[in-house]
Amino acid sequence: MPNTRPKYSVIADQLMRDIRDNRLTVGSLLPTENDLMRAFGVSRHTVRAAVQDLKSRGIVATRQGQGSKVISATGQAAFAERIQSIDQLIAFGQETRRELLSRETVEADEETARRFGCEPGRRLAKVRMLRRSLDGDRKIALVTLWMNTLLDEIVTELAHAQRSAAEIIRERFGLDTNVVEQAISADRLDEDTAAILDAEPGSPALIVTRAYFESRDDEPFLLARSIYTADALRVVSTFVAPGRA
Amino acid sequence: MPNTRPKYSVIADQLMRDIRDNRLTVGSLLPTENDLMRAFGVSRHTVRAAVQDLKSRGIVATRQGQGSKVISATGQAAFAERIQSIDQLIAFGQETRRELLSRETVEADEETARRFGCEPGRRLAKVRMLRRSLDGDRKIALVTLWMNTLLDEIVTELAHAQRSAAEIIRERFGLDTNVVEQAISADRLDEDTAAILDAEPGSPALIVTRAYFESRDDEPFLLARSIYTADALRVVSTFVAPGRA
DNA sequence: TTCGAAAATTTATACGGACAACCGAATGAA
DNA sequence: TTCATTCGGTTGTCCGTATAAATTTTCGAA
């Protein structure tokens, strides 16, 4: 049999369904590992892998000697983006797998031109990619990149390698990313994007746009817009006053 | 028989030290599980528990058939965020006015207790406020604050003055805000919140939660959650590589 | 040389067993 | 009653083994 889901994942899904449908209520205890072993006919190891999955999603909390407690029906976001430096901002791309959706040359429209700092009608390379989680097949985000057509050749490498666009551009073109401007907003998913992300049209989405600069005075050499389904991303940052920790 | 740390935890720590001290560089591969087994003299299971730990911290990413890649060094710091004051954390389009909605003493539920780092049932002051635009009557956000009941007396001042809660708390209680953790996510507006904000239930919202700490090791002294309608806020930040501009 | 198939390498899944640490309830002594 | 102890149940750690799946490397045929 070719593509069977792992058992622990099937069990985790079943438990999540039970929680969502209130067969297991928030605040109550999960069946014990022994019960789950018998119920699903698997080893304790597999049961623990399933519970570990729920734990990492923030759905249950375990306590030695007591049991596993359901603490949330929905869980927290699977991805927490911790931005403390440019390097970490860039490294985030490595945790996901990219899939090339489309690749074309377009003329900059009014808004894109303004953000790029060029005149409308300038030819730009436009690339759309899908970001998936490394482990499962969860679809994380729809990413659209705009860049100078000269940089367009990085796309093939981008789709296959695990490195970020900024990293590849530095290596191939000697362009260093020193400044990144990031804007975060919320919106509804439109029909097309929802279809791509397997989500419901109109459901909430987090939109992160970034402009990459070599220096603050230059035009950006890369624009990126990522559309995340609401449950796929929480942007987490820690701000520390200088001197204190 | 003194309490020894679990082996997997010791191994994870050792690997994190190796990464921080550049014996293992970001972008390179971790030693294979077999190598680590031999190096530490433990079973593969234990090695995997250690790697799992690093994975959950976002330090390494594993890929079947390829290996475990170091994607982020932890302790680097080198702070790249330009924030003048806590109030600048969020760039508002315009100034806002606060209006007190409710003020009560509640018992911390499971989730609030976890975020606060206290035990459930602890009594907390809970305050809800509405932020409106200065000019017209546009409703911007619903803000909920949780704090120690001792701090409760700032509320009246908060509703009238234009200053932030953190500022008032420093003045009145000598508590300095040195660390702020901020998380941004998207969600639908529920019935109640939508009614308060004059928005459509189910429409997208941007949720900003912040925890204010005096020091990184303490419990936060203030939790704030702000729910913005999608069109009311864009969070803009600029990241600059250290040393450059 | 080039390309596809096979082999080697590496992580992922899954089974089994054993003991330790911890919690809560039951027990028994003062 | 009250408090310390014991005991059963539950999760945590750790070992061993085996097979599957994904990726990279090697190698032979054209």
Side-chain angles (χ1 to χ4, degrees):
Chain A
M1 223 184 315
N3 272 323
T4 59
R5 297 266 310 283
K7 289 186 188 179
Y8 78 90
S9 176
V10 172
I11 294 173
D13 273 2
Q14 179 60 52
L15 292 174
M16 280 189 280
R17 264 195 303 277
D18 288 346
I19 292 167
R20 205 184 42 231
D21 301 346
N22 255 285
R23 285 186 292 275
L24 294 170
T25 61
V26 172
S28 68
L29 291 179
L30 227 57
T32 69
E33 294 178 351
N34 259 309
D35 289 346
L36 293 174
M37 283 172 64
R38 280 188 289 271
F40 289 100
V42 298
S43 71
R44 183 164 171 234
H45 179 93
T46 303
V47 165
R48 283 180 64 78
V51 173
Q52 170 63 40
D53 191 350
L54 298 187
K55 223 169 27 167
S56 73
R57 292 172 193 262
I59 293 176
V60 308
T62 63
R63 244 168 79 194
Q64 195 174 137
Q66 192 203 41
S68 304
K69 193 174 189 177
V70 181
I71 59 175
S72 156
T74 60
Q76 294 147 4
F79 272 68
E81 187 174 17
R82 290 172 201 283
I83 300 175
Q84 282 165 7
S85 71
I86 290 268
D87 290 327
Q88 256 182 298
L89 182 68
I90 293 168
F92 176 72
Q94 295 185 328
E95 298 168 15
T96 58
R97 191 191 299 251
R98 281 183 287 252
E99 183 183 318
L100 189 59
L101 290 183
S102 71
R103 173 183 187 172
E104 54 187 319
T105 306
V106 300
E107 292 188 354
D109 62 13
E110 196 73 22
E111 205 214 343
T112 309
R114 186 169 46 74
R115 288 166 54 207
F116 232 108
C118 69
E119 64 291 347
R122 156 98 149 271
R123 298 199 74 70
L124 296 172
K126 177 183 175 185
V127 178
R128 293 201 312 165
M129 296 186 304
L130 187 62
R131 287 237 275 234
R132 305 169 159 267
S133 59
L134 274 186
D135 50 350
D137 277 337
R138 239 161 59 76
K139 295 176 177 176
I140 304 292
L142 171 65
V143 182
T144 310
L145 303 176
W146 291 266
M147 67 194 100
N148 191 302
T149 49
L150 293 175
L151 302 179
D152 177 69
E153 58 175 285
I154 70 164
V155 173
T156 357
E157 187 170 350
L158 195 57
H160 292 85
Q162 278 299 307
R163 299 180 306 160
S164 70
E167 224 173 355
I168 297 173
I169 288 175
R170 176 173 64 226
E171 204 174 287
R172 298 271 284 267
F173 299 94
L175 267 177
D176 257 326
T177 303
N178 289 310
V179 178
V180 177
E181 275 186 8
Q182 176 182 272
I184 302 173
S185 58
D187 205 344
R188 304 175 186 276
L189 282 176
D190 61 24
E191 288 274 340
D192 293 348
T193 311
I196 292 173
L197 293 176
D198 286 346
E200 192 189 339
S203 61
L206 208 55
I207 301 176
V208 180
T209 64
R210 293 190 189 128
Y212 294 78
F213 301 81
E214 186 172 36
S215 112
R216 181 162 268 167
D217 305 318
D218 285 334
E219 299 176 3
F221 60 83
L222 177 66
L223 288 182
R225 185 190 62 199
S226 302
I227 303 179
Y228 298 83
T229 55
D231 57 358
L233 179 73
R234 255 161 42 107
V235 181
V236 179
S237 10
T238 304
F239 302 92
V240 182
R244 200 59 166 86
Chain B
M1 43 208 72
N3 260 347
T4 56
R5 294 267 309 286
K7 289 187 189 177
Y8 78 89
S9 176
V10 172
I11 293 173
D13 274 2
Q14 180 59 52
L15 291 174
M16 279 190 279
R17 264 195 303 277
D18 289 344
I19 292 167
R20 202 184 47 230
D21 302 346
N22 254 283
R23 286 186 292 276
L24 294 169
T25 60
V26 172
S28 68
L29 292 177
L30 228 57
T32 68
E33 294 179 351
N34 259 310
D35 288 346
L36 292 174
M37 282 171 65
R38 280 188 289 271
F40 289 100
V42 299
S43 73
R44 178 154 175 250
H45 181 92
T46 303
V47 166
R48 283 180 64 78
V51 173
Q52 170 63 41
D53 192 349
L54 298 187
K55 224 169 29 166
S56 73
R57 291 172 195 261
I59 294 175
V60 307
T62 63
R63 225 163 133 189
Q64 194 173 133
Q66 191 203 46
S68 304
K69 191 175 188 179
V70 181
I71 59 174
S72 158
T74 43
Q76 87 305 28
F79 211 53
E81 186 69 49
R82 298 293 166 86
I83 304 276
Q84 301 300 324
S85 73
I86 297 300
D87 300 317
Q88 275 183 274
L89 267 184
I90 295 189
F92 290 96
Q94 47 193 329
E95 277 301 322
T96 60
R97 188 172 51 181
R98 282 187 287 252
E99 179 184 321
L100 188 60
L101 288 183
S102 71
R103 174 183 188 172
E104 54 187 320
T105 306
V106 299
E107 288 188 355
D109 62 10
E110 195 73 21
E111 205 212 346
T112 308
R114 188 164 44 73
R115 288 166 53 207
F116 231 104
C118 71
E119 64 290 347
R122 157 98 148 273
R123 300 201 71 71
L124 297 172
K126 177 181 174 184
V127 178
R128 292 200 312 164
M129 296 186 302
L130 186 63
R131 282 185 113 118
R132 330 175 71 121
S133 56
L134 273 187
D135 50 351
D137 37 3
R138 226 161 70 80
K139 297 175 176 175
I140 305 288
L142 172 64
V143 182
T144 310
L145 303 176
W146 290 267
M147 69 195 99
N148 191 302
T149 48
L150 293 175
L151 302 179
D152 178 64
E153 58 174 285
I154 69 164
V155 173
T156 359
E157 187 171 349
L158 195 57
H160 293 85
Q162 277 301 310
R163 297 180 307 159
S164 72
E167 225 174 303
I168 298 173
I169 289 175
R170 175 174 65 227
E171 206 174 286
R172 298 272 284 269
F173 298 94
L175 266 176
D176 253 322
T177 303
N178 289 308
V179 178
V180 177
E181 269 185 29
Q182 176 182 275
I184 303 174
S185 58
D187 206 344
R188 310 175 181 276
L189 282 177
D190 61 22
E191 288 275 338
D192 293 348
T193 311
I196 293 173
L197 293 175
D198 285 343
E200 190 190 340
S203 61
L206 207 56
I207 301 177
V208 180
T209 64
R210 278 179 268 175
Y212 294 77
F213 301 80
E214 188 174 33
S215 113
R216 181 163 269 166
D217 303 315
D218 285 335
E219 298 174 4
F221 59 83
L222 177 65
L223 289 181
R225 185 189 62 198
S226 302
I227 302 178
Y228 298 84
T229 54
D231 55 1
L233 180 72
R234 256 162 52 102
V235 181
V236 180
S237 25
T238 302
F239 300 89
V240 182
R244 334 210 179 202

